[in-house]
Structure formats: structure tokens, C-alpha cells
Amino acid sequence: MSKTVITFGTFDVLHIGHLRILERSKALGDRLVVGVSSDALNQSKKARDAVFDQEQRMQLVGALKVVDDVFLEESLELKGHYITEHQADILVMGDDWAGKFDHFGELCSVVYLPRTPSVSTTAIIERIAAP
Ligand code: CTP
């Protein structure tokens, strides 16, 4: 039976760490659905505005060949709802969240993947902004 993988993130200033986690997520199943954090959710999580707005981030992530569908993640509280709505079999999160989503094990498998070292949106913004 075909397996659906779901993952979440802001995916601002798209970089190689984003592509790799999406590729590794897709490799765990047949279909990859990505919840892209809304501008408001990103602001509440990271206390700064995203460089690219939610529509542009969704378009960029959705254009990647490993991504089958994208939707807007409007609240962290709705993860269980999104998992059910998209009939996900596997939830993938970066290992910066290790253990935090184990309770969704009732709904689907929960997998934490290691982050790609030495790259992040924050580091890229800081590097570009540096004098
Ligand atoms: N990610 C990753 N490797 C990285 C950076 C991010 O695997 N080097 C993963 C995260 O674990 C998450 C997804 O990519 O599952 C989206 O992460 P996001 O928070 O949008 O990117 P960051 O680069 O971590 O952003 P920031 O620096 O703003 O926290």
C-alpha cells in the first residue's frame, strides 16, 4: 500500500538542508506532503518575519520534484489534525525536535532525521547582513 509522509517547517531562504530533509522524507514513503508555516506562525516561533512570505515559500517548496503537495501550517496545535486530514502514515521532524512529537505515534509513525550540519536560514541571513 502507498505510504504518505508528512513534514513541517518554515523553509525560508530555501537551502540545501531543506532540500535534503525533504529528499530523505520522501525516501521513507511514496508521497510527500509538506506543511509550510504561515507568516504568523513563523513570527510566533522565531520572533522575526520570514524573508519570503508564505505564498512564495509554499510555491518554492511545492515546485521541488520530491514534494507532492503543500499546505499552510497555521498552528502548532493542529499537527494531529493535519496528520489525519492528509492521511499521513509517517511524520518526519528534524532531530532538533527529538522526542517532542512522540505522542503522535497513535496516529502515525514518528521519525526524527538529523539536520544537515553547518547550514541554516538564520546563518545565511546573518552572513548576508554582515558588513
Ligand atoms: N533542516 C535540516 N537541516 C538544516 C536546517 C533545517 O534538516 N541544516 C530541517 C529542519 O529540521 C526542519 C526543516 O528543515 O525539519 C525546516 O527547517 P526551518 O526551521 O525552516 O529551517 P532552518 O534553517 O532551521 O531555519 P532557522 O535558522 O530560521 O531556524
Side-chain angles (χ1 to χ4, degrees):
M1 211 179 79
S2 148
K3 280 199 187 307
T4 298
V5 183
I6 193 166
T7 193
F8 297 87
T10 300
F11 301 100
D12 190 26
V13 190
L14 203 61
H15 60 66
I16 193 70
H18 294 149
L19 179 62
R20 288 196 182 140
I21 199 162
L22 294 173
E23 287 178 338
R24 288 178 294 152
S25 298
K26 176 67 172 262
L28 296 174
D30 305 291
R31 201 165 163 271
L32 176 61
V33 180
V34 183
V36 173
S37 300
S38 69
D39 292 336
L41 176 56
N42 178 66
Q43 170 63 238
S44 74
K45 281 194 307 186
K46 307 206 179 196
R48 69 157 189 260
D49 287 331
V51 174
F52 298 119
D53 69 29
Q54 59 193 39
E55 294 305 327
Q56 294 180 20
R57 290 183 285 108
M58 284 178 71
Q59 275 186 41
L60 286 160
V61 170
L64 299 174
K65 71 178 178 195
V66 291
V67 175
D68 296 287
D69 199 7
V70 283
F71 64 96
L72 199 62
E73 182 193 20
E74 307 216 56
S75 164
L76 296 179
E77 314 306 317
L78 290 174
K79 274 214 170 51
H81 164 79
Y82 296 131
I83 290 167
T84 308
E85 184 177 55
H86 293 280
Q87 301 184 333
D89 301 288
I90 304 166
L91 167 65
V92 173
M93 298 298 297
D95 64 359
D96 40 332
W97 295 97
K100 302 242 169 61
F101 293 94
D102 290 355
H103 52 287
F104 291 124
E106 295 169 1
L107 298 176
C108 63
S109 310
V110 182
V111 175
Y112 302 97
L113 292 179
R115 286 169 64 92
T116 300
S118 311
V119 61
S120 71
T121 297
T122 306
I124 293 167
I125 292 170
E126 285 172 0
R127 184 166 170 201
I128 293 170

